[in-house]
Amino acid sequence: MKMLKTATVAAALMGSAALANPYADYEGTTLIVNFPAHPHYDAVMQILPQFTEETGIEVEVDQLPYLAMRERQTLELAQDEGDYDLIAYVVFSKADYVYADQLENLAKYFMNPALADPSYDAGDLIDGYVYNIGFAGGDRGYLSGKTGSLFGLPYGSETSVLGYRKDIFEKHGLEVPETYEEMLALACQIPELEPGMGGLASRAASGHHAAHAFLLHLNPLGGGIFDDSWQPIMNSAEGVAAAEALKQIVDCGPEGASTFGFGEALGAFLNGDTAMYLDTTVVAGQINDPSRSQVVDKVGWALHPMGTERASQTGGFGIGIPANAENKEAAFLLMQWLTSKAGDKAVALAGGNPSRFSTHSDADVNAAFPHMATFGEALQYADPDWRPIIPTWGKVNADLGTTLSQVLTEGLDIQEALDGVAERARATMEEAGYYTWQ
Amino acid sequence: MNRHFANRMTPYLFMAPAAFIMAIALIYPLGYMMYGSLLDWNPSQSISEAEYVGLKNYVTLFYDPFFRKSFSVTLTFAFFVVVFEMAIGVGLALLLDRNIRGMSVLRTLFILPMMIAPVVVGLMWRYMYHPTVGIFNRTLDNLGLEKVDWLGQHALMSVIIADIWQWTPFIFILSLAALQSLPQSAIEAARIDGATGWQQIWFIKLPMMMPILIVTALLRLIDAFKVLEVILVMTEGGPGQSTEILAMRISRTASEFRELGVAAAMSNYLLLMLMILTLSMFAFTRLQERRSARLAAAIQEDE
């Protein structure tokens, strides 16, 4: 620390361009980056001019809808020479890209004294996000651990929180739920207290919507998708409890809840059709936007309720450097600038999702977005193992989502349905070689 | 000899550019897909890195309950869609095949749905089916009737209704064209012989329109097997797998499950089925031609 201070003072005294401007060598470089069309990255667009001004590095952004982005990246990354210098990737792409050797290992950049900013403070980055989105090669292949290393940095990541209608809770003297039991009881009590209103808005549509909603409840209730030897355990008693919770929420939810996707669930809450909303933090910006929301200033935020433990979602996006990028070092500088303390604060103030603990407790950020402190607290419980990030997950996830949708709409027996998913998941894992050593 | 050879080769020479373009534009992608279907192929790999697995993808699919369910959803969807569209489209054509004032405006109005982009159609119907704010449920509510869970309990039916709305005009304009090209003499003769309106339709118009109607129905059937956008926007294949038609399953297999080989094999199954349909369409037209040639010959002999 003392050395750092001395260096800073020396640099200030000398006023030398070489020392003061690590970006000098890259001035005039144009970086081509690929970002998704997403509220966080809309905020990023606002701070990029500041980066160019400070560094002289130009940034050209190719912003695509996120599914299209993934397809485009799959094609781009397989080329010998890619178009992109920096990409934002959705969390489950980590498994595919790292496995196919398409993302740069960041060690060599953080080791390079000409590139790595000593005041970066990586310890301030949110642990759950870093291990979930940026790390690979550790425990279970996709988590932190002694054998792992860093391939990306979380940027535009999200966790889950509970939004609730302060006015409705006050009117009926209700307590904000702390535990799953309380939340589930409230979910069905609210439609009785407020006729026409649903308890909790949840996604439930067939496919990844239903699977996502199930996962939200699975870990807090003590369940998981696989055990340590990759045997499926989503059909355990905890898994059944999570599916039952989902069913209860949907049954006591607004009309038509069983077919709600992300947009409809959020729409129902913004419309005032439900009293609670349990999902990603990314929606916070829209709640108080009068052009979209009818519940402006009526929403309070609380931690994702606790089951047998606290375990909120980890997901969203990270940024990484493609192995076939042309300007890797300049891309690293952009990546470092964006996720630095100053960059993270700037993007938070522009309406993005911060990746650092310090930004969540920052006074300016909290003055602009009072919910940020609660979100910061929620992040301490963000579970990096919220879902398995392995190449076969896409298939297991789709099966889970389709089957759960049948549970919600066709009245399929929960245990039987999850047993089916487990059996098929085992076959998928077997084929992919996960039982080779057993 | 040389000149003879050159003469014989000339047509081939003229055909060569077209054949070359055909080979590149049609045969190559098709062959690529056939080959791809024999591989265990992840989109992050180039095709040369993918492992060759023979017919495994086809066999796996054959026993895959999700694929079979999707196949049966596709068949159900295509069957109902085509039957209703044919009945309504032909019915409308028969009704509107007359000279009333403003006819051209009416006809244009009828074919409007066909011109709207599928994604817009999907979105429009999705909002109309919305459980609380959708026009259907609000109307039912206003009439004091019970609301219907359109995209939940009756998703397939709702999707079929939307498709009927969009594609009936296609049948309608083709049937109308067929009706208007019918020889008036036969219809006049029937009228003079005292045939009623129904009898004219049933015994004269419909049989004479039949070849065109069959082709129209087959075209529609082939198209119905490939519908994607409207269903994608309306239900994303749900709830459960109840509206997941094959085109959607293929798209999910390629992008969500990242199994390009399996997706290619699935496309080949679809292609196979469409080939059978198309061939039967050709066979039918050939049969019709032969029959009319035979009839014409018989008439000539009589004379």
Side-chain angles (χ1 to χ4, degrees), chain A residues 77-109:
Chain A
L77 296 184
Q79 312 279 333
D80 288 337
E81 269 178 42
D83 278 344
Y84 298 130
D85 295 309
L86 184 76
I87 55 166
Y89 58 90
V90 66
V91 56
F92 38 84
S93 296
K94 176 180 87 173
D96 301 312
Y97 297 168
V98 171
Y99 194 72
D101 211 5
Q102 292 169 335
L103 278 184
E104 284 282 288
N105 189 319
L106 296 180
K108 60 181 173 229
Y109 302 96

Side-chain angles (χ1 to χ4, degrees), chain B residues 148-168:
Chain B
V148 177
D149 187 5
W150 296 100
L151 294 178
Q153 300 298 327
H154 310 285
L156 189 57
M157 182 189 81
S158 307
V159 168
I160 288 174
I161 293 176
D163 193 88
I164 293 175
W165 176 83
Q166 192 184 13
W167 287 108
T168 300

Side-chain angles (χ1 to χ4, degrees), chain B:
Chain B
M1 179 64 193
N2 260 350
R3 175 182 282 183
H4 183 63
F5 180 73
N7 269 343
R8 277 188 48 185
M9 286 320 283
T10 315
Y12 293 103
L13 201 69
F14 284 139
M15 270 171 63
F20 180 69
I21 289 171
M22 261 285 269
I24 292 202
L26 196 74
I27 315 274
Y28 179 74
L30 213 65
Y32 201 84
M33 188 175 77
M34 297 281 180
Y35 177 58
S37 71
L38 306 175
L39 303 173
D40 179 9
W41 184 16
N42 180 307
S44 290
Q45 296 170 310
S46 70
I47 194 164
S48 54
E49 290 168 341
E51 191 191 342
Y52 180 82
V53 291
L55 291 174
K56 181 171 162 251
N57 291 336
Y58 291 93
V59 178
T60 319
L61 277 179
F62 193 78
Y63 294 105
D64 178 6
F66 289 109
F67 173 69
R68 286 158 85 155
K69 166 81 182 168
S70 188
F71 208 88
S72 85
V73 169
T74 313
L75 289 177
T76 319
F77 174 80
F79 173 78
F80 281 108
V81 156
V82 173
V83 167
F84 278 101
E85 284 172 13
M86 286 305 289
I88 303 172
V90 175
L92 273 179
L94 288 168
L95 272 176
L96 293 179
D97 176 33
R98 60 195 68 197
N99 290 321
I100 21 177
R101 197 187 280 179
M103 197 59 226
S104 55
V105 179
L106 256 182
R107 273 181 213 154
T108 319
L109 276 181
F110 271 114
I111 60 171
L112 268 181
M114 211 173 81
M115 303 181 197
I116 304 174
V119 174
V120 179
V121 172
L123 277 174
M124 217 169 68
W125 281 89
R126 183 163 147 186
Y127 288 118
M128 293 202 291
Y129 282 137
H130 192 282
T132 44
V133 297
I135 177 108
F136 295 129
N137 272 1
R138 271 172 42 192
T139 312
L140 287 175
D141 206 29
N142 287 343
L143 294 173
L145 298 169
E146 204 171 312
K147 290 181 184 173
V148 177
D149 187 5
W150 296 100
L151 294 178
Q153 300 298 327
H154 310 285
L156 189 57
M157 182 189 81
S158 307
V159 168
I160 288 174
I161 293 176
D163 193 88
I164 293 175
W165 176 83
Q166 192 184 13
W167 287 108
T168 300
F170 174 75
I171 313 277
F172 166 68
I173 45 169
L174 288 189
S175 317
L176 196 62
L179 260 178
Q180 289 175 344
S181 62
L182 292 183
Q184 288 304 310
S185 53
I187 298 165
E188 262 168 41
R191 204 178 299 143
I192 292 164
D193 284 346
T196 62
W198 277 114
Q199 283 170 330
Q200 282 176 40
I201 290 174
W202 205 243
F203 297 110
I204 311 288
K205 290 181 182 173
L206 281 181
M208 289 209 298
M209 282 163 76
M210 204 42 89
I212 295 181
L213 291 187
I214 297 275
V215 174
T216 313
L218 277 168
L219 280 176
R220 211 29 231 130
L221 197 64
I222 290 172
D223 231 24
F225 278 111
K226 298 185 296 182
V227 176
L228 176 66
E229 297 99 325
V230 175
I231 297 185
L232 187 70
V233 174
M234 277 174 71
T235 64
E236 287 185 56
Q241 250 197 308
S242 59
T243 56
E244 194 185 69
I245 58 158
L246 220 45
M248 233 188 104
R249 186 88 197 151
I250 293 172
S251 141
R252 289 183 75 188
T253 306
S255 59
E256 258 181 68
F257 316 158
R258 298 171 70 82
E259 293 175 341
L260 289 185
V262 181
M266 232 181 248
S267 310
N268 283 340
Y269 270 129
L270 185 64
L271 186 73
L272 202 72
M273 200 166 68
L274 291 180
M275 283 270 277
I276 294 173
L277 283 174
T278 316
L279 286 180
S280 56
M281 181 176 96
F282 283 139
F284 182 83
T285 359
R286 183 71 58 82
L287 218 71
Q288 285 282 327
E289 274 167 17
R290 253 190 230 158
R291 210 179 105 204
S292 45
R294 227 183 13 246
L295 279 177
I299 290 166
Q300 259 180 358
E301 261 176 35
D302 282 352
E303 282 168 1

Side-chain angles (χ1 to χ4, degrees), chain A residues 13-294:
Chain A
L13 282 177
M14 283 160 65
S16 132
L19 262 180
N21 185 9
Y23 299 105
D25 286 351
Y26 306 97
E27 220 168 288
T29 309
T30 301
L31 292 173
I32 300 174
V33 303
N34 182 211
F35 287 162
H38 179 269
H40 175 78
Y41 285 90
D42 294 340
V44 176
M45 299 300 280
Q46 295 176 38
I47 64 164
L48 281 177
Q50 197 184 328
F51 172 74
T52 305
E53 201 177 296
E54 285 177 24
T55 64
I57 301 173
E58 304 278 339
V59 184
E60 229 174 77
V61 181
D62 183 14
Q63 216 177 358
L64 296 171
Y66 99 89
L67 279 178
M69 180 188 87
R70 194 160 180 242
E71 272 170 37
R72 181 77 203 271
Q73 287 176 358
T74 300
L75 292 175
E76 252 338 293
L77 296 184
Q79 312 279 333
D80 288 337
E81 269 178 42
D83 278 344
Y84 298 130
D85 295 309
L86 184 76
I87 55 166
Y89 58 90
V90 66
V91 56
F92 38 84
S93 296
K94 176 180 87 173
D96 301 312
Y97 297 168
V98 171
Y99 194 72
D101 211 5
Q102 292 169 335
L103 278 184
E104 284 282 288
N105 189 319
L106 296 180
K108 60 181 173 229
Y109 302 96
F110 280 111
M111 280 171 81
N112 185 340
L115 293 174
D117 177 358
S119 64
Y120 182 69
D121 192 7
D124 182 36
L125 291 169
I126 292 155
D127 305 41
Y129 284 172
V130 172
Y131 296 130
N132 179 251
I133 294 164
F135 232 70
D139 296 346
R140 295 162 78 80
Y142 62 90
L143 290 168
S144 67
K146 290 183 178 169
T147 49
S149 56
L150 194 67
F151 290 85
L153 289 169
Y155 201 54
S157 321
E158 39 195 82
T159 188
S160 51
V161 279
L162 179 77
Y164 62 95
R165 286 279 299 277
K166 291 186 286 190
D167 52 333
I168 304 286
F169 273 61
E170 257 167 48
K171 183 175 159 194
H172 300 287
L174 304 172
E175 291 278 323
V176 179
E178 269 284 314
T179 65
Y180 255 80
E181 239 169 66
E182 291 168 13
M183 181 179 77
L184 292 176
L186 268 179
C188 290
Q189 195 186 343
I190 285 162
E192 287 168 17
L193 295 171
E194 285 280 327
M197 183 178 260
L200 193 151
S202 166
R203 350 182 176 184
S206 190
H208 73 268
H209 296 291
H212 184 100
F214 170 73
L215 287 172
L216 278 176
H217 313 311
L218 184 64
N219 284 7
L221 290 172
I225 297 290
F226 297 109
D227 66 8
D228 288 340
S229 51
W230 296 111
Q231 293 296 332
I233 50 162
M234 69 287 269
N235 55 341
S236 64
E238 292 84 2
V240 172
E244 276 167 355
L246 173 62
K247 184 155 172 46
Q248 187 177 339
I249 288 169
V250 170
D251 287 347
C252 295
E255 239 169 297
S258 63
T259 54
F260 277 7
F262 173 68
E264 281 101 349
L266 175 61
F269 187 59
L270 292 181
N271 227 357
D273 293 340
T274 70
M276 292 187 282
Y277 178 79
L278 181 73
D279 211 320
T280 161
T281 44
V282 81
V283 305
Q286 298 176 35
I287 301 282
N288 287 333
D289 174 357
S291 65
R292 294 187 180 183
S293 162
Q294 299 187 20

